[in-house]
Amino acid sequence: MKKVFNFLRNYSTNPKDVDRLIISAFLTKNALTIKRNKFLKSYVIDAGNIQECTSLVQFLAIVNEEIKDFDIEKLIELFEFVISPADRVINGAVYTPLNIREFIIDKSFEAKEDILHRVKIADISCGCGGFLYTAAKQLKLETNSTYFHIFKYQIFGIDIQPYSIVRTKLLLCILALKAGEDKKEYDFNLYEADTLTFKWKKHIKKFLGFDIIVGNPPYVAAKHLTVETKAKLETWEVCKNSGNPDLYIPFFQIGIESLKPNGILGVITMNSFFKSLNGRSLRAYFQKNKYNFKILDFGGEQVFKSKNTYTCICLIEKNNSDFIEYVRCDSDNIFKAHEQYEHLLYASLNSKMGWNMQDPEIIKQIESVGRPFGELYTTRHGIATLKNDIFIFKPVKSDKSYHYLQNGSLYPIEKGICKDIVNSNKLSRTAVTLNELKEKVIFPYDNSANPTALDGVLLKKKYPKAYKYLEDKRSVLEKRDKGEGDYQKWFAFGRTQSLEKVKNKMFFPKISDKTPTFIINEDEDLLFYNGCAIIGGTQKELLYIKKLMESRLFWYYITKTSKPYSSKYYSLNGNYINNFGVCDLSEDEMEYVLKEENKTALDSFFERKYDIKIQ
């Protein structure tokens, strides 16, 4: 629907204008006539408005070209699309595919099939109403109640954006109209409010909780939250003592506490809480309360077209169980996967270190061997200039005094201000040598063990060519961190991490789809970016951990415990490897490992040490 989206993007910034265009096109395309519904009528373009009618004709022509069947699902997609990018950052709204919504509604209704005629259903972050639409449609099918009755007594929703509440009302009115129900007015229980502070008891008499809560909590990372929102998060138990929680985390607690006893919460949300630091209190909350919890984990599959995130479905009944039911599956097979759960005892899970959901007994055995990786080795991320294309370069040529950098113009850069640097993320691709990876980085710092940014006057005097280049790029550098960066100097890197001199380092990538290349180096001046490195220790210690991390056993551990990405890539960040047990070796065993070059032999050796056979 590229042309449709482009038209809407350029049509208007006023939500009501956009909604009038979409609703008018939908009604025209589906030959629907409104006789009574005042709210819907107010969103129909008037034939007397020549400008709007012209736009509608143009829009319909594009719709006819790109949308064969302009059904309600396409309507929901368009409503979600026209949320402004700025608002997406704030409220994290995304379109939830139909099969996901139907699955969550189906399983939630199964648990309440005896009371569907009076069941109360809420979506506490309803967006444009996709879940409420699906729930209302299914209630109508199951109970044969009127939509007037369902909307008034059984459907409830909250969203922080006023236009989302409007679109939810429009969607529900369209649902009723298509079923032949055209009331003058409907009574909706839809509230424009902040879920973090909303009190249902103030709006519903004798409120005892909902039977079902469904939805797709907001996808907003902690770094995008306002100071005010962060303060609100701190009032929830699941957000305390857990670093910087993302916005979706308190929606678990809010949802559960808004349920009746034996009520059910069904959501699709991020799966990062299994292992993340900011999910620690949430995991503890679940283990303390021991809810009846089912998880369908999509691993590295990206379910949402518009969001680069990794998700799972959670079905939580507000009653007790000794175990979590877990299955890894893809989103196309959720109904089948629902029959293939593994049962994981709450008592076997570790809320502090993270939940190992796959092969937990084997993972527990690996982590119980020797000492944890994180106690023995220090892992660092590379430097963060926040503008690598300005600071890092491959010289187009070099002479006695300068490296030459091509960036708009050809700039000579004094060799004395340059250091060698490698992108250790490239080690996930193919076996490469360190020399093949080496680039140059402009390093506007002193040469001490813990460098600080040079004085601007000194920089200009000592390295005038480099200073002129940086001055030419100053406007770009000052826009880092949205212009709010607190740097030592305007020409300094965006962050101060990994600037210190370290003699022994082992480079490796942040993510990989297979056992990556590990490179050990003892040049204290060599810097790295994008990827990771183990720093410090002796060459012998680094060579040992290199052999262990190259083993089949270690990669098995990564695939079962680490954060998955698309295309079967996995994270190698420190927090995902810190609990790996590093086995103790005798002097003879250490000598054997350091000298042995046959990978198959080393794989067998390590698996014997851990008493595990990896298939």
Side-chain angles (χ1 to χ4, degrees):
M1 296 194 292
K2 185 176 180 180
K3 292 181 181 178
V4 169
F5 290 158
N6 284 338
F7 189 94
L8 291 173
R9 187 181 290 114
N10 298 316
Y11 179 63
S12 175
T13 57
N14 185 315
K16 185 166 185 178
D17 291 342
V18 175
D19 292 345
R20 281 165 55 83
L21 179 70
I22 293 173
I23 289 296
S24 297
F26 182 87
L27 294 171
T28 302
K29 182 74 173 172
N30 288 276
L32 292 171
T33 302
I34 310 164
K35 293 182 179 179
R36 304 187 64 197
N37 191 311
K38 290 197 304 182
F39 183 66
L40 271 183
K41 281 183 177 181
S42 70
Y43 280 82
V44 176
I45 288 175
D46 191 329
N49 190 320
I50 297 175
Q51 184 175 349
E52 281 191 317
C53 285
T54 301
S55 296
L56 176 58
V57 170
Q58 294 171 342
F59 184 58
L60 277 169
I62 297 172
V63 167
N64 288 332
E65 179 184 344
E66 288 198 324
I67 304 178
K68 184 177 180 180
D69 183 12
F70 193 1
D71 59 9
I72 290 187
E73 283 307 306
K74 289 294 189 295
L75 178 62
I76 297 171
E77 279 194 68
L78 293 185
F79 277 160
E80 296 289 358
F81 170 78
V82 293
I83 295 173
S84 73
D87 284 350
R88 285 185 189 279
V89 171
I90 294 169
N91 65 25
V94 294
Y95 166 75
T96 306
L98 176 61
N99 72 312
I100 301 291
R101 301 198 317 267
E102 287 183 335
F103 176 82
I104 290 174
I105 296 297
D106 182 77
K107 297 306 171 186
S108 300
F109 278 23
E110 276 185 12
K112 300 297 175 185
E113 59 183 353
D114 295 336
I115 60 167
L116 288 181
H117 63 286
R118 56 182 172 84
V119 74
K120 284 183 166 50
I121 305 166
D123 185 343
I124 58 175
S125 54
C126 67
C128 298
F131 271 95
L132 295 181
Y133 154 77
T134 304
K137 184 178 179 181
Q138 188 63 25
L139 274 179
K140 171 75 171 175
L141 183 65
E142 298 276 358
T143 67
N144 202 32
S145 296
T146 65
Y147 280 119
F148 183 88
H149 175 90
I150 291 169
F151 298 162
K152 184 173 183 178
Y153 297 107
Q154 297 189 267
I155 294 291
F156 301 78
I158 312 172
D159 198 88
I160 199 168
Q161 293 293 351
Y163 57 72
S164 290
I165 295 300
V166 168
R167 288 167 184 165
T168 300
K169 291 179 180 179
L170 288 168
L171 187 62
L172 295 178
C173 285
I174 290 287
L175 172 62
L177 184 66
K178 280 182 68 68
E181 192 175 321
D182 186 8
K183 296 288 185 183
K184 188 176 181 179
E185 290 183 345
Y186 289 97
D187 295 325
F188 292 108
N189 303 291
L190 301 171
Y191 303 94
E192 175 198 331
D194 187 343
T195 303
L196 296 173
T197 56
F198 188 79
K199 305 297 182 185
W200 286 105
K201 289 183 178 180
K202 292 183 178 181
H203 299 272
I204 302 175
K205 292 181 180 179
K206 298 180 181 180
F207 178 69
L208 299 175
F210 295 106
D211 301 290
I212 297 171
I213 294 178
V214 294
N216 185 351
Y219 293 80
V220 184
K223 64 182 178 181
H224 295 305
L225 298 177
T226 64
V227 173
E228 293 77 14
T229 299
K230 289 179 179 178
K232 293 173 185 176
L233 261 60
E234 290 175 1
T235 64
W236 295 97
E237 177 184 345
V238 296
C239 296
K240 293 178 179 177
N241 305 315
S242 289
N244 298 307
D246 299 327
L247 186 55
Y248 78 95
I249 286 178
F251 280 74
F252 278 108
Q253 184 178 355
I254 296 168
I256 290 169
E257 293 183 0
S258 300
L259 289 171
K260 292 178 181 177
N262 300 311
I264 185 166
L265 174 69
V267 296
I268 178 168
T269 191
M270 295 175 68
N271 60 16
S272 57
F273 75 88
F274 300 166
K275 301 286 288 187
S276 65
L277 174 62
N278 67 18
R280 181 179 292 174
S281 291
L282 177 60
R283 295 190 295 270
Y285 174 81
F286 287 135
Q287 290 188 241
K288 178 184 72 174
N289 292 287
K290 292 187 176 180
Y291 293 118
N292 190 337
F293 197 167
K294 295 180 175 66
I295 298 174
L296 294 92
D297 179 16
F298 300 134
E301 179 187 357
Q302 292 184 350
V303 173
F304 303 118
K305 297 176 184 177
S306 62
K307 202 76 174 177
N308 183 22
T309 192
Y310 304 95
T311 56
C312 63
I313 290 175
C314 297
L315 300 170
I316 306 171
E317 291 190 55
K318 196 173 180 179
N319 51 49
N320 297 125
S321 174
D322 288 330
F323 51 81
I324 288 176
E325 296 177 70
Y326 172 89
V327 64
R328 173 73 74 87
C329 62
D330 61 71
S331 62
D332 290 331
N333 293 310
I334 45 180
F335 282 91
K336 182 179 179 181
H338 189 67
E339 303 168 358
Q340 301 171 347
Y341 289 115
E342 296 179 51
H343 291 67
L344 309 175
L345 285 169
Y346 272 111
S348 70
L349 300 174
N350 189 314
S351 63
K352 184 177 181 180
M353 295 171 63
W355 286 354
N356 294 322
M357 311 293 277
Q358 300 184 79
D359 296 348
E361 293 304 317
I362 296 177
I363 298 305
K364 184 177 181 180
Q365 184 172 339
I366 291 173
E367 292 182 344
S368 68
V369 171
R371 290 176 62 191
F373 179 99
E375 290 184 8
L376 296 170
Y377 299 95
T378 300
T379 306
R380 290 279 188 274
H381 295 292
I383 67 164
T385 71
L386 302 192
K387 211 64 188 171
N388 287 346
D389 59 341
I390 288 179
F391 288 99
I392 299 172
F393 66 102
K394 278 274 192 183
V396 295
K397 64 177 180 178
S398 299
D399 57 29
K400 184 177 180 181
S401 301
Y402 303 104
H403 295 302
Y404 291 83
L405 182 163
Q406 185 71 53
N407 191 344
S409 300
L410 186 65
Y411 292 91
I413 307 294
E414 290 87 353
K415 286 187 171 181
I417 199 175
C418 295
K419 284 195 173 191
D420 287 334
I421 192 169
V422 295
N423 180 353
S424 54
N425 251 4
K426 291 186 176 180
L427 294 172
S428 68
R429 305 299 180 191
T430 55
V432 290
T433 66
L434 202 60
N435 283 334
E436 290 174 315
L437 286 180
K438 281 184 180 178
E439 301 171 273
K440 299 296 180 183
V441 59
I442 298 171
F443 192 74
Y445 293 83
D446 62 31
N447 200 37
S448 63
N450 292 289
T452 58
L454 294 171
D455 176 77
V457 174
L458 176 62
L459 174 64
K460 186 175 182 178
K461 180 178 180 181
K462 191 172 183 180
Y463 305 109
K465 303 293 186 183
Y467 187 88
K468 180 183 183 304
Y469 165 70
L470 292 172
E471 183 69 43
D472 283 354
K473 307 299 180 183
R474 182 168 183 165
S475 63
V476 178
L477 294 176
E478 289 180 340
K479 291 177 182 176
R480 292 175 293 175
D481 280 321
K482 299 179 181 179
E484 299 176 358
D486 183 19
Y487 314 133
Q488 289 179 322
K489 301 287 192 300
W490 64 264
F491 49 79
F493 295 164
R495 305 286 183 268
T496 58
Q497 65 195 44
S498 299
L499 299 180
E500 69 273 20
K501 292 186 177 185
V502 180
K503 183 174 182 181
N504 292 321
K505 298 178 283 282
M506 185 176 79
F507 302 119
F508 59 98
K510 283 184 181 178
I511 64 171
S512 186
D513 61 342
K514 58 184 181 298
T515 300
T517 301
F518 297 88
I519 292 182
I520 297 173
N521 180 264
E522 58 181 7
D523 180 358
E524 66 178 15
D525 286 316
L526 180 62
L527 298 171
F528 69 104
Y529 71 105
N530 284 348
C532 299
I534 295 172
I535 65 170
T538 65
Q539 286 276 311
K540 181 178 178 180
E541 289 169 334
L542 289 181
L543 182 56
Y544 168 51
I545 199 61
K546 176 178 184 291
K547 295 287 186 80
L548 183 54
M549 292 176 75
E550 288 173 339
S551 71
R552 179 170 57 191
L553 178 82
F554 183 81
W555 188 248
Y556 167 85
Y557 178 85
I558 291 297
T559 61
K560 300 300 181 183
T561 65
S562 180
K563 179 179 179 179
Y565 291 89
S566 59
S567 302
K568 296 184 178 180
Y569 276 73
Y570 294 89
S571 174
L572 291 162
N573 275 346
N575 57 312
Y576 295 112
I577 62 179
N578 281 341
N579 296 328
F580 180 85
V582 178
C583 62
D584 298 318
L585 299 183
S586 67
E587 289 186 12
D588 289 343
E589 287 174 328
M590 179 65 78
E591 185 177 358
Y592 166 76
V593 168
L594 297 182
K595 291 182 177 180
E596 181 60 64
E597 296 299 328
N598 185 295
K599 186 178 185 309
T600 301
L602 284 170
D603 284 340
S604 297
F605 171 81
F606 284 122
E607 287 164 31
R608 287 195 301 272
K609 288 293 294 182
Y610 288 79
D611 194 23
I612 293 170
K613 179 62 178 175
I614 307 299
Q615 300 298 325

